[in-house]
Amino acid sequence: MLSAEIIKTEKTIKSVYLKREVELEIFTPDNLLGNETLNLLLLNDGQDAEMLGLQNTLSTLYNQNRIDALVVVAIKASKDRIQEYGVAGVPDFLGRGSKAAAYTDFIIKELIPFVQAEVQFPINGKRAFAGFSLGGLTAFDVAWNNDNYFDAVGVFSGSFWWRKKDLKDGYTDADRILHQLIIETEVKPALKFWLMTGTEDELADRNKNFIIDSIDDTIDVIKELLKKGYKRPDDITYYEMVGGKHDVPTWGKAMPAFLTWAFGRKLFN
């Protein structure tokens, strides 16, 4: 059994693509022997790791023998978060997400090699990318376009409303950027998806169907994935938290469900 003690290491990486220093927190179990299958989770909005209770959650899951060995890299966002996050190459109607392509380059070309060099043992297991709100949209986009680097994606209260046209300018569902990305992608990326919403994520209901937009937009992502040939529950898990809000405490409560989905032990001792 892996130790419930977690080593947290703070690192900084100078990014050529983002033209700034990126702060990281790396979480690893403290008694790795080197013969384990070692998994990797990249997590956007890593500045919230403490409020998420991430270290305690990992300790509990290891103590209960519920997850395999895992390196978690919490990537702290900067003041340019609204520009670095989004869908690469497709800014929204306000021009936000203009640096999303650079963020993708940072993840693939700088961060992943950096982490592998920092970690004592080879990362030879599953690789997942997860995030919250706009960070979840970004994790989906990066993994979708780089499935040779990732096996799974986790999205907590994803900003799937991200759109090319404002509501007051004749917006339709076809203006949602990520949904169109899925539709227009000719290949079927080799990924599995865990998508979470809270029933109190928001109040907005633009189509007046008595379902909040965050749930509608997430369900519509699932519909497009199903059209691509993905299957439920093998490829897609949808987790709707009753009473869940668009906030860090809610996402912290949902984290064990995601971690056991992505990295759960196949056999319990």
Side-chain angles (χ1 to χ4, degrees):
M1 179 186 298
L2 290 165
S3 171
E5 295 298 321
I6 306 296
I7 299 172
K8 182 178 79 170
T9 308
E10 297 183 3
K11 295 288 183 179
T12 300
I13 175 173
K14 292 183 178 180
S15 172
V16 172
Y17 296 99
L18 296 178
K19 298 179 174 59
R20 67 176 180 90
E21 292 189 344
V22 182
E23 296 180 15
L24 313 170
E25 290 182 354
I26 303 176
F27 300 84
T28 55
D30 77 345
N31 65 337
L32 291 175
L33 300 175
N35 58 355
E36 302 92 350
T37 297
L38 188 58
N39 303 286
L40 174 67
L41 171 62
L42 304 185
L43 195 63
N44 280 332
D45 282 313
Q47 70 278 1
D48 294 329
E50 184 174 355
M51 192 182 301
L52 283 166
L54 181 60
Q55 192 162 349
N56 288 336
T57 294
L58 290 167
S59 292
T60 298
L61 294 176
Y62 286 133
N63 190 52
Q64 295 172 348
N65 203 26
R66 292 176 61 193
I67 59 171
D68 287 322
L70 173 63
V71 175
V72 182
V73 181
I75 311 158
K76 296 185 181 183
S78 75
K79 59 181 176 57
D80 282 336
R81 177 181 185 274
I82 201 72
Q83 296 298 333
E84 292 178 355
Y85 284 2
V87 174
V90 192
D92 85 332
F93 67 96
L94 291 178
R96 297 172 295 190
S98 62
K99 298 180 181 179
Y103 190 75
T104 298
D105 283 338
F106 160 70
I107 294 293
I108 300 300
K109 299 176 182 178
E110 295 178 324
L111 181 61
I112 291 177
F114 176 86
V115 171
Q116 184 61 85
E118 285 291 323
V119 176
Q120 184 178 2
F121 303 112
I123 296 171
N124 54 4
K126 296 177 184 175
R127 298 185 180 200
F129 199 177
F132 318 96
S133 191
L134 187 53
L137 174 80
T138 306
F140 190 113
D141 178 56
V142 174
W144 182 262
N145 289 295
N146 297 277
D147 64 323
N148 53 323
Y149 287 91
F150 298 101
D151 304 291
V153 58
V155 181
F156 298 70
S157 301
S159 296
F160 291 137
W161 57 266
W162 199 245
R163 51 185 176 256
K164 292 180 285 187
K165 187 181 293 183
D166 198 356
L167 294 177
K168 62 181 175 59
D169 295 328
Y171 161 90
T172 69
D173 284 351
D175 292 310
R176 294 176 298 188
I177 293 171
L178 188 94
H179 298 74
Q180 287 303 118
L181 172 68
I182 296 171
I183 292 168
E184 294 169 6
T185 301
E186 295 183 0
V187 298
K188 178 189 169 193
L191 291 168
K192 295 185 183 297
F193 307 88
W194 187 93
L195 309 177
M196 171 268 170
T197 60
T199 59
E200 297 181 22
D201 251 323
E202 61 179 335
L203 297 175
D205 177 15
R206 61 178 179 266
N207 61 2
K208 309 295 190 255
N209 68 343
F210 303 102
I211 300 173
I212 58 174
D213 291 345
S214 59
I215 292 177
D216 264 344
D217 291 335
T218 301
I219 294 299
D220 286 347
V221 166
I222 292 172
K223 289 178 180 177
E224 295 304 335
L225 292 174
L226 292 172
K227 290 177 186 177
K228 280 284 181 192
Y230 297 101
K231 305 295 183 184
R232 295 182 68 179
D234 293 350
D235 305 316
I236 306 167
T237 294
Y238 175 59
Y239 180 65
E240 189 173 293
M241 180 181 287
V242 176
K245 302 180 186 300
H246 199 88
D247 61 21
V248 176
T250 290
W251 302 328
K253 291 176 183 176
M255 184 60 70
F258 167 68
L259 292 174
T260 53
W261 171 83
F263 308 107
R265 293 187 65 83
K266 297 299 183 286
L267 296 173
F268 291 88
N269 295 333

